[in-house]
Amino acid sequence: MMTLVIMAAGMGSRYGGLKQIDPVGRHGEFILDYSVYDAVKAGFDKVVFIIKRENLDVFRETVGKRLEKVIPVEYAFQEITEVPEGSRVPKDRTKPWGTAHAVWSCRNLVNSPFAVINADDFYGREAFTLLHDFFMNLPKDTSKYHFCMAGYLLKNTLTENGHVARGICTADDGYLTTVTERTKIQRNQGQTQFYEEDRGWTDIDENSIVSMNCWGFTPDIFREIEDQMREFFADSTDGLAKKEFFLPSVVQELMDTQKCDVKVMDTPAKWYGVTYHEDKEKIVNFIDRMIHEGTYPETLWNEKGE
């Protein structure tokens, strides 16, 4: 069994609404519908949505009912209070703890290799095929964990409507060596740059490989996330109200301690997503073109689920 885990707990403050369920297809399909469609074609056979508990009913009505006819669907809830035993949650914390915490939220629903993606990003079918094939041919070496990641060119993942968050990567012989979360990347006067509080804007090569939170893991990652989360809370006595626990940071720690390797599978696909409301027109036009070219059927989910 191979599971697709979709992170959909973000409300989309920059977008202005619950962007994960804003239609982009001709018949009301969302971006995540196309991701599930591509994953099913690639061989995935279960979907787990990570959502906020208060959004369960709307997700079931708008997503679950139609997908359940095609593939088993389950829901995990990312909640501020769901932390390792003994960890302290400050009273002024108002949002969940980040992408690593989101993945950990589905630990009781996933017991096989799985892919992780964002609900509001379009990845392209090739990414799901690459992740599926990686796990069908896992290395025999058991001395470390073997994970993978779909790598995109930074220039293919930018929007002209504002800044984006990306994991900036370096690789050696096809394997990830570093991944650094940059939460604010954009083009300024034709130059691609990232922002840091202490340094301001810094130039970056737009041909850099980036992570779009399209990862492939074995269930071992849950135990490692929990161990690092305990340290995160223990080492963050100050500033816990705003700090985030990012998935790339967990992966970096595992690589640094030689507990895992991460195969980087490059894809030339261009990113489409809805970080900002102004991004929607571009993804709608792209989907329309893919339908015209025959990549997707006009009605994505027919009654036979094909």
Side-chain angles (χ1 to χ4, degrees), residues 22-42:
D22 192 2
V24 297
R26 292 181 182 177
H27 297 277
E29 296 90 350
F30 312 136
I31 290 178
L32 60 84
D33 279 298
Y34 292 94
S35 292
V36 173
Y37 184 89
D38 287 340
V40 170
K41 291 289 187 183

Side-chain angles (χ1 to χ4, degrees), residues 215-256:
W215 299 92
F217 296 117
T218 57
D220 306 287
I221 193 69
F222 298 126
R223 180 175 62 254
E224 298 295 339
I225 289 175
E226 183 162 333
D227 288 346
Q228 291 192 38
M229 206 184 319
R230 292 181 191 279
E231 295 177 10
F232 170 83
F233 279 95
D235 295 342
S236 303
T237 52
D238 296 320
L240 268 178
K242 294 184 178 180
K243 288 190 71 173
E244 291 201 56
F245 185 46
F246 290 121
L247 190 56
S249 300
V250 171
V251 174
Q252 186 67 58
E253 175 67 19
L254 293 176
M255 292 190 298
D256 289 346

Side-chain angles (χ1 to χ4, degrees), residues 137-278:
N137 300 281
L138 270 176
K140 303 297 183 183
D141 172 33
T142 58
S143 64
K144 60 176 64 175
Y145 309 131
H146 302 290
F147 303 148
C148 62
M149 183 199 87
Y152 294 77
L153 290 176
L154 175 57
K155 66 183 178 183
N156 288 339
T157 73
L158 299 174
T159 171
E160 62 269 27
N161 298 311
H163 63 267
V164 296
R166 302 286 182 256
I168 304 299
C169 303
T170 61
D172 181 27
D173 197 26
Y175 284 87
L176 190 66
T177 52
T178 64
V179 54
T180 305
E181 188 77 10
R182 298 296 186 192
T183 58
K184 195 172 184 179
I185 303 174
Q186 67 184 48
R187 286 194 180 102
N188 293 319
Q189 297 179 335
Q191 176 61 51
T192 303
Q193 299 179 313
F194 66 87
Y195 183 83
E196 292 178 290
E197 290 290 343
D198 55 341
R199 296 178 60 191
W201 289 102
T202 301
D203 292 353
I204 184 171
D205 184 356
E206 66 175 19
N207 289 309
S208 299
I209 296 295
V210 297
S211 162
M212 293 288 299
N213 274 334
C214 185
W215 299 92
F217 296 117
T218 57
D220 306 287
I221 193 69
F222 298 126
R223 180 175 62 254
E224 298 295 339
I225 289 175
E226 183 162 333
D227 288 346
Q228 291 192 38
M229 206 184 319
R230 292 181 191 279
E231 295 177 10
F232 170 83
F233 279 95
D235 295 342
S236 303
T237 52
D238 296 320
L240 268 178
K242 294 184 178 180
K243 288 190 71 173
E244 291 201 56
F245 185 46
F246 290 121
L247 190 56
S249 300
V250 171
V251 174
Q252 186 67 58
E253 175 67 19
L254 293 176
M255 292 190 298
D256 289 346
T257 55
Q258 299 185 348
K259 284 189 173 183
C260 82
D261 56 31
V262 181
K263 180 70 173 176
V264 178
M265 296 170 297
D266 297 334
T267 171
K270 182 173 174 56
W271 168 83
Y272 289 91
V274 285
T275 304
Y276 302 90
H277 200 278
E278 294 82 359

Side-chain angles (χ1 to χ4, degrees), residues 4-10 19-20 32 47-52 59 76 78 98-104 106 115-121 123 212-215 217 247-248:
L4 177 64
V5 173
I6 302 181
M7 295 188 290
K19 59 184 177 180
Q20 294 90 348
L32 60 84
V47 176
V48 174
F49 285 106
I50 301 170
I51 62 174
K52 291 181 178 179
F59 255 86
Q78 186 180 14
T99 49
H101 178 251
V103 172
W104 183 71
C106 72
V116 176
I117 64 169
N118 296 329
D120 53 352
D121 288 322
Y123 293 94
M212 293 288 299
N213 274 334
C214 185
W215 299 92
F217 296 117
L247 190 56

